[in-house]
Every structure is written in structure tokens, then in C-alpha cells.
Amino acid sequence: MNRYYEILGLQPGASQTAVKQAYRTLAKTWHPDRFTHDPALKQQAEEKLKAINEAYRQLKEYQPTVAPPRSRPSPPTPTPTPAAAHPSFRTSVTTKTTNAEFWYHRGADNASAGRYKEALDDFGMAIRLNPKYAEAYRYRGFTYSMLGFELGAEADLRQAKHQDAISGIAMGRDGKFLVSGSLDGTIKFWNVRSGLAFHTLTQHRTPITAIALTPDGELLATGGNDGSIKVWDLKLGSLLRTLDGHTGTIHALAFSADNRVLLSGSQDGTMGFWNLKMHRIVPVWQRQGEPILSVAISPDGQLALSGGADHSLNLYQVRTGELLRSLVGHPTEIVSIAISPNGNAFARGGGDGTIAVWSESAIVTGNLERLWVAHNGAVRSLAFSPDGRTLASGSDEATIRLWNPLNGDRLVHLSGHRDRVNGLLFSPSGHTLLSASADHTIFLWQPMST
């Protein structure tokens, strides 16, 4: 019977109330449905839950016989220990590892519910019980960064660079952290202030070729060259689901502002509209034939854009996936698309180094407003500043340039990368520009102050 108490983390002779409470807590912590993303952990959870259920079955009606406390020769009137005087006194007799796991999972529950300060206490307890608990250190660093405690987070961070080309970067509207995806198959979370990585996801088995983050920073989508898309819960740092259907490399991903729709473009010439709020996710497909290289969704979530190897810019209704209009006649493939934060302007980057810009009304009529030669290589990435007054472009020639989108005047030229610039974004304040390159690096620029 003592073994059953030990499984539930209780002192022998614990009360029925303590037994029931311990069982409920452990059954929730080790429920196999919490570990569907990892078959090995799921199997371990099933085994632990089986032992927990058996322990509870044996103890739920067990009435232990308690021996009276033994007196000591001196002093004449002994003072019994709390455990002897009160059979219901509860303390933990389980191993450090199991106890640490309990606190780790309680911390994960608190973090997923947004109770970050409580989660930090729980992770701290797990680390005290098991100083080598790597997952607890990583999750605590992630939680620090979610709270914006950069200095505290740095104590848990370790420098960790990508080993291959960075294919894309993303940042939530609060600007607390940066996410990058790489051809090395990893996803890394970065503390922008320190430049250090504090969390890594490795469930992709193939190169990551596209990345997107919801504006609130809660959901992350990553696409690989195997045609699969993975959706992650960033509060837990865990995989929610894998979306299958594409048969070629995922080149582009975009979320709607309300987190309901995920847009994907693939080498197989298909674009998927995924309604993430449905229990069974069945995408609406649009087939263009030629590879789709870039996608974007307007800030109001109504209009979707795609560009690809067929030289056309296509407009869709996000809710239904209906094709509204195709703007054809572009001299080259469309490899990047950006929409201004207020939705009043659209830009596309071409494989021939040109940039084209339309106003909101012009794109509906199809009348091109501005076109200029921006780079000597393909315009691989585009980004509008938060106020919409600056357009940044990155190219295959490893340069970055800033433009006035109203007239095409060049404002700033930035150089430093040694390979093509695959990703660009402005910080929420607009004072910092971040760039990701095939040279494995991420740069931070303050172009407005230079």
C-alpha cells in the first residue's frame, strides 16, 4: 500500500480527500491526449496513467490502521511528529524527477492560460528539484520573454545559430520576440534585445521554406519542402496539428488578422485556404498550374493576394477562396508581395529586380500606378513600415533598400549580408528593420537614424 501512496506522491496514511485530490491532479497532468505531438511521451504518459489509476483504485476506500505514538524514555511526555500525530499530514515522498515533472507540467498549464508569473514559479520549482531539467530551463526562458523580462530571460538563454539558410522571419505586434525558420529544419525563437535564441522547435524532418505568425503572437505556421504545414501553439511551444494536401514545397504562408484563416502557396501550383476554426480542417483549393511563390492577406482579412511563376497577380475573397481578379502581363515571375498596414497600398517584387506598387483602388481596377527597377537581382522580400511611408526590399544580390512608395524615390541603401535576403520586417515602433539571409544570419538595422 505504501507503494500506491508513493505513486500518488503522498505520505502513507493520507486522508481520502488528499488521495482524491492527488489523483485528479496527476490524472490531468499525465493524460495521454496532452502528448499527441510526441509518440514516445504519449506512451510514457499512458503507462504512468495506468499506474496512477491502479493506485487510486487501491487507495480510494483504504482505511489504514494507525499505531499510537511511542513514548520516549526522556522527556517523560513525548511530542509526536506531525506525521504520527496526524495520519492525514501530507508530504511528498516521490523522486525528484517525478516531482520536477509535476511542477513542469503545472507550469505549462499556467503558461497556456496566460498565467505567466505563476508559470515562472512552477518552472523554478521544477529546476530546483532537478537542476538538469533542460526543458524547464527552455520553457522558463520562453515565459520570461513572453512577459518581456529580457534580463531575466538572458540567464536561461544560450547562443544557438541556424546551420543553414534562414528562409523567413516573423514577429508579433508586441515585438517581444522574433521567430525564424531555416533550411536546417529548425525553428528558433530569439530575444531581440540580446540577440540570443531561447527556444528551438525541431519537429520538422525536412527544410523549412515558409513561416507566418499571427498578429497576437499565439499561433505560428511553418511549411516545408515536403509539402506539409505545421501549426504551433506558442503559449505551450508545442505542435497543434499538421496540415497535409500540398504535394510540393511550401513557398509562402499568411494568417488573417483574426487567426481564422491560413493561406498557403506551393510549388505544385495550388493555394490553400485553411479555416483553422473548423473541427475538421478541409481547405478550399485554388489551382494556378504554375508554382505560387508569394501570398498575402489584407489587414481587414477580406482580400488575399498571390503571385507566382505565371507572371500574374491574383486577388481572392478570403472567406470563400473565390478568385476575384487576375492582373496579368507582368514581365517576370512575382516572388514577393507586401500590403501596407492600413491596406491602402500593395507592392510586388519581381524576379527581374523591379518593384510595382498599386493603391487600394488601383488594384481593383488593375491600373498599375508605379513601377521601378530596384535591384540587380530578384526582389526576394518586401515590407512596409508601420506608418506605410517606407517600403523595404531585399534581393538576391544581398542588398536591402528603403523606398518612398508614393514616388519610388530611394531613401537608404543597406549592405552587410553575404547572400540573398529572404525575409524583412519592421519592429512595431518602426525604428528597427530586421533582415534574414541565406547566409544564416539575422541583422537589426536602425535605418531611420542613419
Side-chain angles (χ1 to χ4, degrees):
M1 301 306 292
N2 287 349
R3 171 60 180 159
Y4 294 135
Y5 282 114
E6 182 179 345
I7 290 172
L8 296 185
L10 299 174
Q11 176 80 6
S15 69
Q16 287 297 306
T17 299
V19 168
K20 183 178 294 186
Q21 181 60 44
Y23 167 72
R24 288 176 176 174
T25 300
L26 290 172
K28 178 181 178 181
T29 299
W30 289 104
H31 196 287
D33 287 349
R34 292 169 52 90
F35 306 93
T36 55
H37 63 285
D38 190 322
L41 284 179
K42 183 178 181 182
Q43 181 178 357
Q44 181 185 1
E46 290 172 347
E47 294 171 356
K48 285 187 175 290
L49 186 60
K50 183 178 179 181
I52 292 166
N53 287 335
E54 176 62 18
Y56 180 62
R57 188 179 69 82
Q58 295 289 342
L59 293 176
K60 65 180 180 179
E61 296 179 356
Y62 176 62
Q63 299 295 330
T65 301
V66 182
R70 293 179 296 174
S71 60
R72 299 174 182 174
S74 179
T77 305
T79 302
T81 65
H86 302 285
S88 63
F89 180 80
R90 176 182 172 186
T91 186
S92 174
V93 296
T94 187
T95 64
K96 285 187 175 182
T97 300
T98 301
N99 233 357
E101 289 172 347
F102 168 78
W103 288 105
Y104 171 81
H105 288 294
R106 200 173 92 158
D109 286 339
N110 278 325
S112 67
R115 296 187 293 269
Y116 297 122
K117 292 184 179 179
E118 291 87 343
L120 290 175
D121 292 338
D122 295 335
F123 293 134
M125 178 64 74
I127 290 168
R128 284 194 291 274
L129 294 172
N130 182 2
K132 296 182 179 180
Y133 204 154
E135 285 299 321
Y137 280 104
R138 283 195 287 269
Y139 212 152
R140 187 173 72 171
F142 182 83
T143 305
Y144 269 129
S145 194
M146 293 295 287
L147 276 170
F149 297 159
E150 285 85 359
L151 296 179
E154 287 180 26
D156 293 304
L157 307 183
R158 299 295 182 269
Q159 182 70 280
K161 295 180 179 179
H162 283 294
Q163 301 303 309
D164 207 334
I166 299 175
S167 51
I169 52 176
M171 178 185 286
R173 65 167 63 99
D174 59 10
K176 290 183 178 179
F177 62 93
L178 180 75
V179 188
S180 61
S182 169
L183 298 186
D184 65 13
T186 65
I187 304 156
K188 291 188 180 294
F189 296 79
W190 304 86
N191 182 311
V192 176
R193 177 176 295 181
S194 68
L196 297 175
F198 62 87
H199 195 61
T200 302
L201 301 174
T202 60
Q203 279 85 334
H204 271 280
R205 295 294 179 262
T206 62
I208 295 172
T209 52
I211 187 170
L213 183 67
T214 55
D216 59 16
E218 293 189 0
L219 295 179
L220 173 73
T222 54
N225 71 353
D226 60 352
S228 69
I229 301 168
K230 296 186 184 300
V231 181
W232 310 82
D233 183 336
L234 294 195
K235 284 186 175 180
L236 288 175
S238 61
L239 179 64
L240 283 179
R241 56 176 62 92
T242 298
L243 306 177
D244 295 313
H246 288 294
T247 59
T249 298
I250 306 299
H251 288 303
L253 295 166
F255 277 106
S256 61
D258 60 5
N259 299 6
R260 295 187 65 89
V261 177
L262 174 65
L263 193 62
S264 59
S266 170
Q267 179 71 20
D268 63 13
T270 63
M271 186 164 69
F273 293 77
W274 309 82
N275 188 334
L276 301 181
K277 299 301 181 180
M278 297 178 65
H279 177 70
R280 181 171 179 267
I281 301 177
V282 178
V284 174
W285 296 106
Q286 279 287 351
R287 302 185 183 277
Q288 295 181 197
E290 295 293 325
I292 297 175
L293 305 176
S294 53
V295 298
I297 297 181
S298 61
D300 62 8
Q302 300 299 312
L303 186 65
L305 299 177
S306 75
D310 63 356
H311 298 201
S312 66
L313 183 67
N314 299 295
L315 286 70
Y316 301 89
Q317 165 60 248
V318 170
R319 184 175 56 84
T320 63
E322 177 188 0
L323 177 63
L324 301 176
R325 185 180 181 86
S326 287
L327 305 180
V328 297
H330 294 273
T332 183
E333 67 268 25
I334 297 173
V335 295
S336 57
I337 297 175
I339 302 177
S340 65
N342 59 13
N344 291 336
F346 304 80
R348 68 94 177 130
D352 60 355
T354 61
I355 294 175
V357 175
W358 295 260
S359 67
E360 183 179 22
S361 58
I363 201 169
V364 174
T365 63
N367 297 321
L368 179 64
E369 292 196 339
R370 286 170 294 283
L371 173 70
W372 67 90
V373 176
H375 295 273
N376 292 326
V379 181
R380 195 64 56 180
S381 50
L382 290 169
F384 278 96
S385 62
D387 61 10
R389 296 179 180 178
T390 304
L391 177 66
S393 62
S395 77
D396 280 355
E397 62 182 354
T399 62
I400 301 166
R401 291 171 181 169
L402 275 60
W403 311 89
N404 181 339
L406 297 178
N407 55 25
D409 287 347
R410 192 173 80 181
L411 305 175
V412 177
H413 174 92
L414 303 172
S415 60
H417 283 298
R418 300 184 305 276
D419 207 336
R420 65 185 181 277
V421 180
N422 290 327
L424 287 171
L425 59 83
F426 281 90
S427 66
S429 68
H431 296 151
T432 302
L433 177 69
L434 297 97
S435 60
S437 171
D439 65 9
H440 310 188
T441 66
I442 298 171
F443 283 2
L444 282 72
W445 314 81
Q446 277 78 40
M448 295 303 98
S449 60
T450 59

